[in-house]
Amino acid sequence: MTDFRPDPAFAAGSIAAAEWPLCHVRLQDDARFPWLILIPRVTGAVELEDLSLEQRAMLMEETVRAGALVRRLGEVEKLNVGAIGNVTAQLHLHVVGRRRDDGLWPDPVWGRGPAVPYAVEVRARLLAILAGG
């Protein structure tokens, strides 16, 4: 895992937030949704099958951990978890908090409308939550 680098495309819409045992964790910079991105630090991983059995189990545990944190970042009725990868092939999971009144409900969030960046002070508060979680 020492040669790991997140795809540069992630820098355009998200902020590095934490390093967990398997994943590099990023906060999606979109105040419309509490949203984390988990990127396993496994060089060359594109699909779940590229992870070992142990890494897949760890990814599931870290996904559950991310869901709990997403619920602390904002009001959440439903967690959406997706590993789409059509734009950025590097294996990553989105953990997105949704509400019936979020403006896009029940449609998916990907590619829907311009992101609304967090205010500086809100971003700092959320990153502090993530650093402690």
Side-chain angles (χ1 to χ4, degrees), residues 15-20 23-27 36-39 130:
I15 303 124
E19 297 295 334
W20 291 352
C23 292
H24 170 73
V25 181
R26 301 186 69 85
L27 172 67
L36 296 179
I37 301 170
L38 305 180
I39 309 170
L130 295 171

Side-chain angles (χ1 to χ4, degrees), residues 1-124:
M1 288 196 271
T2 57
D3 294 336
F4 170 81
R5 300 278 185 276
D7 187 297
F10 288 109
S14 64
I15 303 124
E19 297 295 334
W20 291 352
L22 178 66
C23 292
H24 170 73
V25 181
R26 301 186 69 85
L27 172 67
Q28 185 73 13
D29 194 14
D30 189 345
R32 299 176 300 163
F33 314 99
W35 183 341
L36 296 179
I37 301 170
L38 305 180
I39 309 170
R41 289 189 313 277
V42 177
T43 302
V46 174
E47 304 292 351
L48 290 170
E49 64 196 31
D50 297 329
L51 302 181
S52 69
L53 182 61
E54 294 80 15
Q55 290 168 331
R56 288 193 303 266
M58 187 177 292
L59 180 58
M60 182 57 68
E61 291 305 313
E62 291 187 6
T63 301
V64 171
R65 179 181 179 186
L69 282 168
V70 163
R71 290 182 188 283
R72 290 182 56 202
L73 299 180
E75 291 184 43
V76 173
E77 292 178 32
K78 177 70 177 103
L79 287 172
N80 290 178
V81 176
I84 309 300
N86 294 344
V87 174
T88 305
Q90 183 176 41
L91 180 60
H92 62 287
L93 269 65
H94 297 268
V95 182
V96 186
R98 301 295 306 273
R99 296 180 327 275
R100 293 182 190 283
D101 65 349
D102 70 21
L104 290 180
W105 184 275
D107 296 334
V109 298
W110 292 275
R112 300 293 308 273
V116 177
Y118 286 107
V120 173
E121 55 281 347
V122 173
R123 182 183 307 123

